[in-house]
Amino acid sequence: MAAINWLAAHDLPVRLAASLSAVWRDKTIEMLEENPFRLLKFNLPFRQCCEVAKKFGFNSSHPKYLAALAFNLISQYCRITSSTLIPRSVFEKECTAMKADFSKVLRHAMEEEIVGYIRGEDGFQLEGEFLLEALVGQRLRNAMLRSAGEGSCMAGWECGISQEEIKLRLREFELTIPFSLTDAQRHAVVLACRINVISLSGGAGTGKTTILKAILTVLEKLSLGIDIYQMALSGRAAQRMAEATGRPASTIAKFCVDMARDNQRTRPEHCIVVIDEASMVDLYSMHNLLRYLPAATRFIFVGDVDQLPPVGGGLLFHHIMKSDFPSVELREVKRQSAGSGIHLFATAIRHQRSAIVLPDYQAKADLDCSILRSVDPVEISELVQAHGGSKKCATLTGMQKGKAGVENLNKVMQRKLGFERPAVRLAGGEGSFDYVSSTGRKFYLNDPILVTKNDYKTGIRNGDLGTIVKVFDEATEDGRLGLLKIDGRTIDLSVDMLDNLNLGYAMTIHKSQGSQWENVVLALDQGAIRMLDKTLLYTGVTRAQKKLIVCCEDMDLVQKAVDRGSVAFLRKTNLLQHLKADF
């Protein structure tokens, strides 16, 4: 209550009281008045912290103000760029813009132990990010250097395996599949069975999932049933991995929640952790995951550095691939033939070739890869219908807003299907009424839908696509409004689900990672020029299995995205220094 009263007296959000008192308890007021800038670490804006600080005599020349300024400048830069450190040149420039002396700001920030100098990168890092990268790097190095059988009596099987036995088990696996593995794929399996940390990288369609299934099959036989945890950042990617390997998979977040609930004694002493779509895993998710894993953990990272980077901070998979950790890169594309237009276009993007040209769709409609020089939503809608509708053709775009953004495409394509269909209805005091979301969205019978949040009770996951197959005239007594069909399953549509659904006529490229469709229409509006880079374009292109149509008014937009390269590589981090070790 003291914290609530203090916050209210200074026009600050009283919701912070619980967090503050949980940290400092009866010393909360004392800690805040001694240094009001401590509120920065509870996400209070710098401007508000300054207003409170002035009341206690902290002006713009006070050492604690200058230290807080450093914290704020570094935090803002890292949040905007998804970096974990700020280069010296940028830090100096930001201090100058704030009319502050850089040397004084730096000195007081170091005295307060807010920042540390990163020599190799010639930059500065907040204490929290430094510790996270150091801990993640140390844990992975320890895992890599762990001797066979060390860390758990259950790891004893590692001591007895030979290369001949691995190859024998691998030959047994090959007898169960209708094709032969390449030498590179066999090498990946043998390597993954012999070492504790490995990365499998390769472009879309190079057989990463097939190799993963081979590795897990062989390891299960060699170890007589080791615990295997498959996980990914998104629910849809986890589901696709489970389908491909025939083994359970979950999101990283759900795994951590489940482990936190379990008794410490029931957690595994020895296990294999497989992380798919690893290029999208950020530093914070990885650190959280490592908290629940034993020392005797084997890691298999599966991903592609040319696909989308993490939304959060850091470049975990990219730096693992750059480090001395063993890795295998698969190069031979299995999804399409070497002469496929999709394959040639994707390869040109991946290698940042200049003067990329696509054949015109109207003239070459029978080709597997072409360009339609239009982003008119009506034309895109007709194109999708001509290629099997939303069940057989995915519509991907780089942005939410704009002419060819997700919102407008969904709106136009829903209207194209017509509004004579029954709408999802809610029960009210005077009868039922159509459900309308906060953005004015309605759902109708036969609308494709996209799940936007995991729901473990019903088993649907963020990124799942489905269709509304039945709409009830009015809600049932137990709150059911209709039926959804998702991945062959029929699921009750409830009121609680509605806010976690969006129309699924179109989706962002980010939402599509980890999935493939027979046909893909990729809409690229000029409005996406600031965010479109090689990784976003490459990810969208490689979602297509048989046919890709790029809708773009000017091919220069595609070329600029290719020439721009991967924006993620502009991020500044220090994880690579922590991963480096003499193996």
Side-chain angles (χ1 to χ4, degrees):
M1 284 306 300
I4 289 173
N5 292 333
W6 190 91
L7 291 166
H10 295 288
D11 298 321
L12 298 176
V14 294
R15 58 179 169 73
L16 293 175
S19 299
L20 296 170
S21 56
V23 175
W24 295 313
R25 300 188 179 276
D26 59 342
K27 293 188 176 182
T28 298
I29 308 304
E30 178 185 339
M31 296 296 285
L32 291 175
E33 293 184 351
E34 180 187 49
N35 184 0
F37 293 108
R38 287 181 171 131
L39 287 165
L40 281 172
K41 295 189 177 181
F42 294 85
N43 296 319
L44 193 71
F46 182 65
R47 178 185 54 78
Q48 283 186 276
C49 289
C50 290
E51 290 173 0
V52 176
K54 282 181 183 178
K55 298 176 183 178
F56 293 92
F58 296 89
N59 58 30
S60 59
S61 62
H62 195 284
K64 292 192 185 302
Y65 170 89
L66 295 175
L69 177 62
F71 178 90
N72 185 58
L73 292 177
I74 297 174
S75 297
Q76 281 189 325
Y77 175 83
C78 291
R79 183 170 59 251
I80 292 169
T81 65
S82 295
S83 299
T84 60
L85 63 85
I86 187 171
R88 173 186 284 272
S89 59
V90 177
F91 195 11
E92 287 190 40
K93 183 180 178 181
E94 292 296 327
C95 286
T96 302
M98 292 294 292
K99 299 180 180 179
D101 186 302
F102 169 70
S103 59
K104 288 183 179 179
V105 170
L106 182 59
R107 175 161 54 86
H108 292 305
M110 287 188 161
E111 287 173 356
E112 292 282 331
E113 298 183 344
I114 287 175
V115 303
Y117 174 53
I118 308 302
R119 186 177 302 277
E121 295 289 342
D122 193 26
F124 300 92
Q125 193 166 30
L126 295 177
E127 179 187 28
E129 276 63 34
F130 174 83
L131 289 174
L132 285 178
E133 289 187 329
L135 288 167
V136 169
Q138 185 66 52
R139 278 295 307 273
L140 292 177
R141 282 209 326 271
N142 289 348
M144 183 65 218
L145 297 170
R146 181 178 63 85
S147 300
E150 185 182 350
S152 170
C153 61
M154 298 182 70
W157 65 273
E158 296 174 328
C159 302
I161 60 172
S162 64
Q163 190 145 327
E164 290 70 26
E165 188 177 5
I166 295 172
K167 290 181 177 179
L168 172 63
R169 298 301 184 185
L170 180 54
R171 283 195 295 272
E172 292 174 355
F173 171 80
E174 285 196 77
L175 292 174
T176 68
I177 57 177
F179 54 87
S180 297
L181 301 179
T182 65
D183 290 341
Q185 290 173 325
R186 292 190 188 95
H187 172 65
V189 176
V190 172
L191 197 60
C193 291
R194 295 191 65 84
I195 61 176
N196 300 329
V197 182
I198 186 172
S199 298
L200 300 177
S201 178
T206 54
K208 296 189 295 292
T209 306
T210 300
I211 298 311
L212 178 59
K213 187 174 182 178
I215 291 169
L216 298 183
T217 300
V218 172
L219 280 171
E220 281 181 329
K221 291 183 178 180
L222 293 172
S223 65
L224 301 178
I226 187 173
D227 287 327
I228 296 173
Y229 297 100
Q230 294 190 123
M231 57 191 81
L233 201 64
S234 74
R236 186 168 180 79
Q239 183 177 343
R240 294 293 170 255
M241 180 165 49
E243 292 170 354
T245 63
R247 295 168 175 83
S250 75
T251 62
I252 293 174
K254 184 174 189 300
F255 175 85
C256 292
V257 168
D258 290 345
M259 286 291 141
R261 288 174 179 166
D262 288 347
N263 188 295
Q264 184 78 31
R265 296 176 185 174
T266 64
R267 293 180 190 171
E269 294 179 14
H270 175 51
C271 63
I272 295 173
V273 168
V274 182
I275 300 179
D276 197 16
E277 302 292 346
S279 71
M280 295 189 74
V281 177
D282 59 59
L283 173 68
Y284 310 101
S285 298
M286 189 64 197
H287 175 260
N288 193 34
L289 171 63
L290 289 172
R291 293 168 56 203
Y292 300 103
L293 297 175
T297 300
R298 299 170 68 104
F299 292 92
I300 301 174
F301 295 94
V302 183
D304 181 0
V305 294
D306 284 311
Q307 291 194 34
L308 294 174
V311 175
L315 285 173
L316 175 77
F317 183 69
H318 300 68
H319 287 323
I320 291 174
M321 290 295 296
K322 281 185 178 180
S323 72
D324 298 324
F325 284 61
S327 63
V328 175
E329 184 173 3
L330 303 174
R331 299 179 184 275
E332 187 177 342
V333 175
K334 299 290 187 179
R335 188 178 299 167
Q336 294 99 13
S337 66
S340 158
I342 297 173
H343 170 64
L344 294 174
F345 184 34
T347 302
I349 296 168
R350 190 178 179 92
H351 297 295
Q352 284 187 257
R353 292 178 187 157
S354 58
I356 298 175
V357 178
L358 287 178
D360 186 78
Y361 172 74
Q362 284 95 341
K364 300 285 186 180
D366 57 327
L367 294 180
D368 71 334
C369 184
S370 57
I371 182 170
L372 176 68
R373 297 181 184 275
S374 170
V375 290
D376 179 60
V378 175
E379 286 190 66
I380 292 173
S381 177
E382 292 171 351
L383 202 59
V384 172
Q385 290 303 314
H387 289 84
S390 57
K391 292 182 180 179
K392 289 189 176 182
C393 184
T395 307
L396 309 182
T397 180
M399 52 200 294
Q400 288 284 350
K401 305 289 185 180
K403 184 177 180 180
V406 168
E407 291 182 8
N408 196 42
L409 286 172
N410 273 331
K411 181 179 177 181
V412 171
M413 294 168 87
Q414 185 187 48
R415 184 170 62 235
K416 187 79 175 174
L417 206 59
F419 296 126
E420 297 78 20
R421 299 166 287 149
V424 173
R425 299 180 67 78
L426 302 178
E430 298 180 1
S432 61
F433 56 93
D434 291 354
Y435 165 80
V436 181
S437 73
S438 57
T439 58
R441 180 185 67 242
K442 289 185 179 184
F443 291 119
Y444 294 86
L445 181 66
N446 296 326
D447 272 344
I449 55 93
L450 173 71
V451 179
T452 60
K453 187 177 180 180
N454 294 328
D455 184 342
Y456 298 111
K457 290 182 180 178
T458 58
I460 61 175
R461 312 183 190 215
N462 183 9
D464 278 349
L465 288 165
T467 306
I468 299 175
V469 294
K470 191 171 184 60
V471 172
F472 300 150
D473 294 334
E474 57 183 37
T476 63
E477 291 183 2
D478 56 356
R480 293 182 299 129
L481 308 173
L483 298 174
L484 303 175
K485 196 107 175 188
I486 298 178
D487 290 327
R489 296 170 53 215
T490 302
I491 298 168
D492 290 330
L493 174 61
S494 66
V495 175
D496 294 338
M497 279 187 194
L498 288 174
D499 290 335
N500 299 331
L501 300 178
N502 203 348
L503 290 173
Y505 292 94
M507 74 181 78
T508 61
I509 297 171
H510 275 89
K511 284 287 187 184
S512 75
Q513 182 153 343
S515 300
Q516 292 91 41
W517 291 268
E518 187 174 316
N519 305 311
V520 168
V521 172
L522 180 60
L524 303 175
D525 194 345
Q526 285 290 338
I529 192 167
R530 295 181 63 181
M531 63 181 296
L532 195 61
D533 71 347
K534 184 183 84 167
T535 57
L536 196 67
L537 180 61
Y538 179 78
T539 301
V541 166
T542 53
R543 300 310 92 199
Q545 294 174 311
K546 294 184 178 180
K547 191 159 190 174
L548 170 70
I549 303 167
V550 179
C551 294
C552 180
E553 293 175 336
D554 190 347
M555 193 67 186
D556 283 348
L557 179 63
V558 172
Q559 191 64 57
K560 285 177 182 177
V562 174
D563 294 341
R564 193 179 185 190
S566 175
V567 175
F569 290 129
L570 299 177
R571 296 183 185 185
K572 303 298 181 182
T573 72
N574 195 43
L575 179 61
L576 186 58
Q577 305 305 317
H578 295 294
L579 289 171
K580 285 183 176 178
D582 183 8
F583 296 133

